[in-house]
Amino acid sequence: MTVFRDTRLKPQLNTPLYQQLYEHLRSAILSGQLPKGTQLPSTRALADKLGVSRNTILNAYDQLFAEGYLESVGGKGTFVTQALPEVSFQPRGIWHPAPARRAHRLSEQTQALLKAPIMPPSLPLSRGLAFKAGVPALDAFPYELWAKLVARHAHRLNPEVMQYQDAAGLRSLREAVAEHAIVARQVRCTPEQVIITSGSQGGLHLAARVLLNSGDRAWIEDPGYLGARAALLASGAEIVPVPVDAEGLNVQAGIARAADARVAYLTPSHQFPLGVTMSLSRRLALLDWAKRSGGYVLEDDYDSEYRFDGHPLASLQALDASESVIYVGTFSKVLFPSLRLGYVIVPLALVDAFVAMRRAISYTTPYLEQAALADFINQGHFMRHIRRMRTLYAQRRADMIAAAKDLPLEIYAPSTGMYLVGWLNEGLNDRAAARKAAEYQLRVVPVSMFAIEAALRGGLVLGYAAVTRDEIDAGMQRLGRALHEMSEEKT
Amino acid sequence: MTVFRDTRLKPQLNTPLYQQLYEHLRSAILSGQLPKGTQLPSTRALADKLGVSRNTILNAYDQLFAEGYLESVGGKGTFVTQALPEVSFQPRGIWHPAPARRAHRLSEQTQALLKAPIMPPSLPLSRGLAFKAGVPALDAFPYELWAKLVARHAHRLNPEVMQYQDAAGLRSLREAVAEHAIVARQVRCTPEQVIITSGSQGGLHLAARVLLNSGDRAWIEDPGYLGARAALLASGAEIVPVPVDAEGLNVQAGIARAADARVAYLTPSHQFPLGVTMSLSRRLALLDWAKRSGGYVLEDDYDSEYRFDGHPLASLQALDASESVIYVGTFSKVLFPSLRLGYVIVPLALVDAFVAMRRAISYTTPYLEQAALADFINQGHFMRHIRRMRTLYAQRRADMIAAAKDLPLEIYAPSTGMYLVGWLNEGLNDRAAARKAAEYQLRVVPVSMFAIEAALRGGLVLGYAAVTRDEIDAGMQRLGRALHEMSEEKT
């Protein structure tokens, strides 16, 4: 049989000899080289022929028996199974990644998602964090304390907490979150209404799946957060961009464009990326729309813990008397993004639906981080860390404003959050400016990247939370050179 | 003003006094009790009247100014803002959970999900784990080793790994998974094709979102795994139950019912819950259907690491020459469920689509568990643990079979996995048997719970992986009494 004439087992490979032989024979059977009903050599004869131990042959034959490629016919020997179906089959041999061998059809929501912009991939950390938005002060993180809490729970793992857990999240964490949201954000809730998610992205996606049919319309701030757009697109929503002005999302414009929208996504406390706060009259108008139309409001409250003058503004949820607001929070901005923890707070009547969908998506997040975070909050470290960061970010914001004073930028820096916007001189293209800044090792994102229809003056989102005074000074000097160079090239 | 006549601040409450006053005034404004344009008392006058410090009043007024409820009219004093919009608003006062105040409309997929069965909630652990399926031997878990790996990474957290990470998962873990899948399951892949998910539930849901439009048809084994049904329903699929027999999923029956299905879900290595292995001819017929129709196969390979005689059977993916198989794996069965780690291995041409959807769903899972697991695999602990568990589960399976010999059960126990099926005598209702067993502190799940249309003989899924010899003996005795009692009641 030519099949065995060509067989060369290679002891130098990582793959065991029996497996090499098994794969060789399987391919030969599937390709028709060894037709149905062919008798195979005895294990002893084949071992002699290939110069390997008889055990190697036995192991390979056993595997082929077990998987149905071979059958033994009482006393007569080993044969390729007669009952193999007639199907065209290309054995793959040694596998190499190759161009697609077939037409692939993706779902409509996946096709929409692949066309949507995403944040540019991060530069290597060696280039520093100036001026990445959305990342907290990792230089001021309480590393030892956090590691101690995590290690303590890792050492206390036990069968009770290693099994499948409640899809709504760890009870102690839900209680801690409810307490924090009530005190710090005046959210009205009980712990039952808190559902732990994998970051705010997990919360936005969860809400979209619970509330939106494919094809439903959804308002989104224009310009607005790309992660929210992705969550809505991933749920098959038709995106309705709604303009943002100094009072936040323009509710009347939204109603004029799509009064029948099922969902309105917004960042009322600190609009991303423009930085404005939604006015009280707009808030009330939005809730009125939701109440009348039966729509829902997705309130993304991503960084409002950081307000530098006076107390944080109350959340939109605090004003909601008609169960229309889904409040979305995250721990990415107070702790760190790769923790992947966030939460939604939903009307009591929707809890069962959210938990059922949460379970279908992936049950819940890992136990360990949830337990450590519950301790972190309950022992007071969370509020202490927020207070420390509030002072630090206020200082860094002031440093940024000072360092920007000689740059050709009009700074808009509300006294909240972790970033400011530097508006460029009229006519300058912010994408070109961001590319130029990248040449100077700076991570700045152009405001226009977040726009759908909005025609905006060029601007740069400049995060200051993650950078020290020195990095701010050096980074702003480089930004100045980049902007100068761009103007030179333009003229 | 009656508003202030009624005002009683309560120092004994947790809520600070200024916040009590703020909430009181906000409610009064929103309800119209304090109409637009009303002048408020001076801070000093109100402080005297209420018997609190002037700072309390100042803080409350500041908050109301910041949120837009109050305005100051140059020199004349403080007034309720004139520009408040006319909207009907019910102040909520102290919040109590209440019946829904509005009609809530859930998405179609959520409504479908809420009608689907889910596994019954776990009994308290104090009642023991006999005979919970799907939970590994937590009594034989390498606790110290795992805690050490986790603690090491917790103590080495640094800005690089605390930022947003690759949505496909940690590179080192993807490499380790690819290597394991190639060696142990003969999967053909490169690390690029591996995407880390939140357990197999996360993988099933992810695949459904990438591949299915709302309303697309999906085959599912009948009886079959409830988590897969939930993932498909959550994506708006129309479920097509396909019967299972001794050769696994009946491919011809599936084609007859819905040749145009977009997805076929199955557990070919070890069918859940019946325990059968899919025959080679059915495997080839399924792949042939997928190739001809353009459909996809979701291969859920949840416990095939545990095969007690000979080598594990190759995966279905190993036979796929037309990029039709999405391979779904989990670490819940080798490590533990609340780790929430699993993976999908997808055709190279689909990687970008899967990663885009993964990002939109929740980016990825936490860094810490991914890093610890990569070490656990790369240092050889993973394969060592599998080998130890294989020996242990083979023993526990034998113990179960021995303990069942006097029970009125026909045991079906293939030499693989973590559970067996005990078929009841003809005519006995398995749901009644499971309820009776629960009275005896046993966690047994009736096979019929997993059926959609299939009319099955009553049977009980009995997990043996998580229970010791003593628990097996005692549990089977209790099960015998429960079954006896049920027969008595019946006659």
Side-chain angles (χ1 to χ4, degrees), chain B residues 20-291:
Chain B
Q20 294 180 35
L21 179 61
Y22 153 78
E23 290 184 10
H24 178 72
L25 291 174
R26 191 178 64 168
S27 289
I29 294 169
L30 288 167
S31 67
Q33 235 188 322
L34 276 178
K36 298 194 280 186
T38 309
Q39 181 166 16
L40 266 68
S42 73
T43 52
R44 192 177 306 273
L46 191 54
D48 285 350
K49 182 170 165 41
L50 299 178
V52 298
S53 84
R54 197 170 154 232
N55 256 339
T56 299
I57 313 294
L58 273 170
N59 278 333
Y61 278 22
D62 276 355
Q63 183 79 6
L64 292 163
F65 272 114
E67 296 187 358
Y69 295 90
L70 299 183
E71 57 189 358
S72 88
V73 178
K76 292 192 194 162
T78 299
F79 296 82
V80 177
T81 306
Q82 280 287 359
L84 282 181
E86 295 294 349
V87 292
S88 61
F89 187 84
Q90 290 293 325
R92 300 176 66 175
I94 296 302
W95 187 88
H96 297 288
R101 294 172 207 229
R102 59 172 274 183
H104 284 288
R105 199 214 66 174
L106 303 170
S107 63
E108 286 162 13
Q109 61 269 12
T110 307
Q111 294 176 45
L113 203 53
L114 285 169
K115 285 183 209 130
I118 57 169
M119 293 292 279
S122 288
L123 299 167
L125 195 72
S126 56
R127 304 196 187 176
L129 279 167
F131 293 104
K132 194 171 162 73
V135 175
L138 298 175
D139 58 318
F141 183 76
Y143 287 94
E144 284 222 21
L145 175 63
W146 178 253
K148 227 177 65 186
L149 290 175
V150 169
R152 201 167 63 99
H153 283 285
H155 282 288
R156 287 185 185 179
L157 278 180
N158 61 72
E160 186 87 50
V161 303
M162 291 163 86
Q163 297 188 72
Y164 289 97
Q165 304 290 309
D166 187 344
L170 202 64
R171 178 74 200 184
S172 58
L173 181 57
R174 294 166 76 196
E175 286 171 359
V177 166
E179 204 177 301
H180 170 71
I182 291 167
V183 172
R185 311 295 305 120
Q186 292 161 37
V187 168
R188 304 284 185 162
C189 69
T190 59
E192 283 71 31
Q193 292 171 256
V194 177
I195 295 159
I196 304 302
T197 60
S198 178
S200 65
Q201 191 66 35
L204 294 168
H205 170 264
L206 173 63
R209 295 307 295 147
V210 172
L211 300 173
L212 291 172
N213 288 334
S214 189
D216 277 347
R217 301 211 274 179
W219 295 1
I220 192 162
E221 293 165 323
D222 184 18
Y225 177 52
L226 297 180
R229 203 195 304 179
L232 294 168
L233 286 173
S235 203
E238 183 192 321
I239 300 288
V240 179
V242 178
V244 177
D245 59 25
E247 287 193 65
L249 179 128
N250 186 330
V251 177
Q252 289 316 312
I255 293 172
R257 285 198 74 151
D260 65 343
R262 294 298 309 163
V263 156
Y265 166 84
L266 72 169
T267 47
S269 302
H270 186 214
Q271 205 275 332
F272 187 86
L274 300 184
V276 299
T277 301
M278 192 181 209
S279 71
L280 180 61
S281 57
R282 288 270 177 87
R283 287 171 191 240
L284 295 173
L286 180 69
L287 292 172
D288 190 57
W289 162 79
K291 188 179 176 180

Side-chain angles (χ1 to χ4, degrees), chain A residues 112-173:
Chain A
L113 203 52
L114 285 169
K115 285 183 209 129
I118 57 169
M119 292 292 279
S122 286
L123 298 166
L125 196 72
S126 56
R127 302 195 188 175
L129 280 167
F131 291 104
K132 195 170 160 76
V135 175
L138 299 175
D139 58 318
F141 183 76
Y143 286 94
E144 284 222 22
L145 174 64
W146 179 253
K148 228 178 66 188
L149 291 175
V150 168
R152 201 167 63 100
H153 284 284
H155 281 288
R156 287 186 185 177
L157 277 179
N158 61 71
E160 186 88 48
V161 302
M162 290 163 87
Q163 296 189 70
Y164 290 97
Q165 303 291 307
D166 187 345
L170 201 64
R171 179 75 199 185
S172 58
L173 181 57

Side-chain angles (χ1 to χ4, degrees), chain A residues 18-19 22-23 26 30 63 66-69 84-85 87 89-90 92-93 95 97 99-102 104-110 113-114 118 125 129 132 138 141 143 146-147 150 154-155 157 159-164 186 188 190 193 198 201-202 205 209-213 216 234-235 262 280-281 284 294-296 311-314 317-324 333 336-340 348-350 353 356-357 359-369, chain B residues 18-19 22-23 26 30 63 66-69 84-85 87 89-90 92-93 95 97 99-102 104-110 113-114 118 125 129 132 138 141 143 146-147 150 154-155 157 159-164 186 188 190 193 198 201-202 205 209-213 216 230 234-235 262 280-281 284 294-296 311-314 318-324 332-333 336-340 348-350 353 356-357 359-369:
Chain A
Y18 89 87
Q19 195 170 331
Y22 153 78
E23 290 185 8
R26 191 178 65 169
L30 288 167
Q63 182 79 7
E67 296 187 358
Y69 295 91
L84 282 180
V87 292
F89 186 83
Q90 291 292 327
R92 300 176 65 175
W95 188 89
R101 295 172 206 226
R102 59 170 274 183
H104 284 289
R105 198 214 65 173
L106 303 171
S107 62
E108 286 162 13
Q109 61 269 15
T110 307
L113 203 52
L114 285 169
I118 57 169
L125 196 72
L129 280 167
K132 195 170 160 76
L138 299 175
F141 183 76
Y143 286 94
W146 179 253
V150 168
H155 281 288
L157 277 179
E160 186 88 48
V161 302
M162 290 163 87
Q163 296 189 70
Y164 290 97
Q186 291 162 34
R188 303 285 184 163
T190 60
Q193 292 171 259
S198 177
Q201 190 67 35
H205 171 263
R209 295 306 297 148
V210 172
L211 300 174
L212 291 172
N213 288 334
D216 276 348
S235 203
R262 294 297 308 163
L280 180 61
S281 56
L284 295 172
Y296 291 93
H311 303 282
L313 302 186
Q317 200 267 11
L319 286 176
D320 175 25
S322 64
E323 304 181 354
S324 303
K333 308 288 181 256
F336 56 95
S338 78
L339 180 64
R340 307 308 309 129
L348 198 66
L350 294 181
M357 184 59 75
R359 187 185 296 117
I361 289 171
S362 67
Y363 284 105
T364 179
T365 57
Y367 165 79
L368 193 66
E369 281 88 352
Chain B
Y18 88 87
Q19 197 171 327
Y22 153 78
E23 290 184 10
R26 191 178 64 168
L30 288 167
Q63 183 79 6
E67 296 187 358
Y69 295 90
L84 282 181
V87 292
F89 187 84
Q90 290 293 325
R92 300 176 66 175
W95 187 88
R101 294 172 207 229
R102 59 172 274 183
H104 284 288
R105 199 214 66 174
L106 303 170
S107 63
E108 286 162 13
Q109 61 269 12
T110 307
L113 203 53
L114 285 169
I118 57 169
L125 195 72
L129 279 167
K132 194 171 162 73
L138 298 175
F141 183 76
Y143 287 94
W146 178 253
V150 169
H155 282 288
L157 278 180
E160 186 87 50
V161 303
M162 291 163 86
Q163 297 188 72
Y164 289 97
Q186 292 161 37
R188 304 284 185 162
T190 59
Q193 292 171 256
S198 178
Q201 191 66 35
H205 170 264
R209 295 307 295 147
V210 172
L211 300 173
L212 291 172
N213 288 334
D216 277 347
S235 203
R262 294 298 309 163
L280 180 61
S281 57
L284 295 173
Y296 291 93
H311 304 282
L313 303 186
L319 286 176
D320 174 25
S322 64
E323 305 181 353
S324 303
S332 296
K333 308 289 181 256
F336 56 95
S338 77
L339 180 62
R340 306 309 310 129
L348 199 65
L350 294 182
M357 186 57 77
R359 187 185 296 117
I361 290 171
S362 67
Y363 284 104
T364 180
T365 56
Y367 164 80
L368 192 67
E369 281 88 352

